[in-house]
Amino acid sequence: MKKFLKILGRLAIVGAAIAGGVAIYKKYFAPEDTFDDLDEDLDDDFEEDLDTAGRGYVSLSSVEEAAEDIKEAAQEVAEDVKDAAREIAEDAADAADAVKKDIAE
């Protein structure tokens, strides 16, 4: 067990030394990443998007107008459903009258 702990301790020391070396390299020797060019590239792309000529725009209606349109459409559908139900009821009444006549004869 003592041997295993020595090996584990040595591996921990080697790992810490490697991690320290990487940290020192990144802090003092690695080139720094600058993002100054990134801002300029984004500005150029945005300006190119704005330069589209001949673009047509559609005016958007307000929420109240959209709600009113939906309400009117719902009323029209309700009237259509009432008319269809009335026609079905009349057809059913005609069919019932025809059956009564057939039974009476």
Side-chain angles (χ1 to χ4, degrees):
M1 183 72 172
K2 200 174 194 181
K3 213 177 208 184
F4 175 72
L5 292 177
K6 281 184 181 182
I7 292 172
L8 189 62
R10 288 179 182 165
L11 285 175
I13 291 171
V14 169
I18 291 172
V22 169
I24 290 172
Y25 173 75
K26 281 189 165 189
K27 185 169 185 170
Y28 296 108
F29 300 110
E32 293 182 22
D33 293 332
T34 58
F35 297 107
D36 296 335
D37 296 338
L38 181 63
D39 290 336
E40 292 172 7
D41 290 342
L42 289 175
D43 291 339
D44 292 342
D45 290 341
F46 185 68
E47 288 173 3
E48 289 174 5
D49 289 342
L50 291 179
D51 291 339
T52 57
R55 186 180 214 176
Y57 292 98
V58 177
S59 63
L60 300 176
S61 62
S62 68
V63 175
E64 292 85 15
E65 290 174 357
E68 185 65 32
D69 292 342
I70 291 171
K71 185 178 178 181
E72 289 174 6
Q75 288 174 350
E76 289 175 8
V77 168
E79 289 175 10
D80 291 343
V81 168
K82 286 179 186 177
D83 292 341
R86 189 176 304 117
E87 289 177 11
I88 291 171
E90 289 173 359
D91 291 343
D94 292 342
D97 290 340
V99 169
K100 285 180 186 178
K101 286 181 184 178
D102 288 340
I103 292 174
E105 294 178 357

